[in-house]
Amino acid sequence: MKRQGLMSVSGILLLGLIVLMTLHEWGNPLDASDRQAILSAPAIIATDITAKSYEAKTGKVLYRLTATHLQQFDQTPKTLLSNPHLRMDNKQGVWTIQAQHGEVLNNDNLIVFQKQVEARSQARGLTLKTDKLLYHSDTRTVTSPSSVDMNHQRGNTRAGGMDINLDNGKMNLKQGVVSDFKGTKQ
């Protein structure tokens, strides 16, 4: 009988020690570097994604965005994309933008395309190449803060920057615009 009491006391002491060790770990489960690693890690990782944005009143698709890889973060309101491809249909025809990297910011109102960016308008017969292009979905405008090279039906144009309103088709070229036009045969 004494042995059973001794084992019970030993068991209770061991259980108490385990509880104390557990409580100690709960008080300080991670050091600062571990906490920072967890906070900076993506909340969502996905492959082969497709996202659509719709007009609130009509339900019409404003744009369709695809990417081969996505990382979405909770601590900073951004989403990183690999090989993003954006397609927008409007009165001016179809515009597409593709790049190696993309980033979605400002509650999905801004999509930044970077590295080997190419934009096309089939209706205009226009292909635009640049290092960085910004699509503002709330204003339906595209801007390039860096130089652009455009091939169009009449030739080639280079500029230091550009703005395009996709709804009315107006393009504003900036900073040292140079155009080379193809000759016409007579």
Side-chain angles (χ1 to χ4, degrees), residues 87-155:
R87 178 187 169 104
M88 302 151 291
D89 296 302
N90 62 21
K91 297 173 191 171
Q92 302 300 317
V94 176
W95 275 90
T96 60
I97 302 172
Q98 61 188 27
Q100 284 184 351
H101 300 286
E103 194 170 340
V104 181
L105 303 165
N106 299 347
N107 294 324
D108 302 336
N109 288 329
L110 175 63
I111 304 173
V112 179
F113 296 89
Q114 298 178 61
K115 293 193 180 177
Q116 297 182 355
V117 182
E118 184 175 288
R120 291 178 185 247
S121 169
Q122 291 177 342
R124 288 184 162 195
L126 175 74
T127 300
L128 178 143
K129 293 183 180 184
T130 186
D131 290 329
K132 187 174 186 178
L133 202 61
L134 312 172
Y135 172 63
H136 304 270
S137 64
D138 54 345
T139 59
R140 301 197 30 86
T141 58
V142 175
T143 60
S144 177
S146 60
S147 63
V148 295
D149 282 317
M150 292 184 291
N151 291 316
H152 44 82
Q153 295 170 347
R154 293 183 158 172

Side-chain angles (χ1 to χ4, degrees), residues 20-181:
L20 284 174
M21 288 172 55
T22 303
L23 289 175
H24 175 71
E25 286 298 315
W26 278 350
N28 187 15
L30 301 172
D31 63 13
S33 63
D34 288 340
R35 263 189 235 112
Q36 186 57 37
I38 288 172
L39 292 176
S40 64
I44 298 173
I45 297 174
T47 57
D48 298 324
I49 63 104
T50 299
K52 293 180 182 179
S53 178
Y54 297 92
E55 189 175 276
K57 293 179 183 177
T58 65
K60 179 183 171 188
V61 176
L62 294 174
Y63 67 81
R64 180 177 183 263
L65 177 66
T66 61
T68 58
H69 186 78
L70 169 142
Q71 290 183 348
Q72 186 171 350
F73 298 84
D74 280 345
Q75 298 300 317
T76 57
K78 72 177 176 179
T79 302
L80 300 178
L81 305 169
S82 297
N83 303 308
H85 184 271
L86 181 71
R87 178 187 169 104
M88 302 151 291
D89 296 302
N90 62 21
K91 297 173 191 171
Q92 302 300 317
V94 176
W95 275 90
T96 60
I97 302 172
Q98 61 188 27
Q100 284 184 351
H101 300 286
E103 194 170 340
V104 181
L105 303 165
N106 299 347
N107 294 324
D108 302 336
N109 288 329
L110 175 63
I111 304 173
V112 179
F113 296 89
Q114 298 178 61
K115 293 193 180 177
Q116 297 182 355
V117 182
E118 184 175 288
R120 291 178 185 247
S121 169
Q122 291 177 342
R124 288 184 162 195
L126 175 74
T127 300
L128 178 143
K129 293 183 180 184
T130 186
D131 290 329
K132 187 174 186 178
L133 202 61
L134 312 172
Y135 172 63
H136 304 270
S137 64
D138 54 345
T139 59
R140 301 197 30 86
T141 58
V142 175
T143 60
S144 177
S146 60
S147 63
V148 295
D149 282 317
M150 292 184 291
N151 291 316
H152 44 82
Q153 295 170 347
R154 293 183 158 172
N156 181 321
T157 300
R158 290 173 303 285
M162 172 213 61
D163 299 319
I164 302 173
N165 182 316
L166 297 178
D167 288 332
N168 63 24
K170 290 184 181 178
M171 181 184 295
N172 179 28
L173 300 174
K174 309 173 192 177
Q175 305 165 358
V177 179
V178 176
S179 291
D180 297 319
F181 293 99

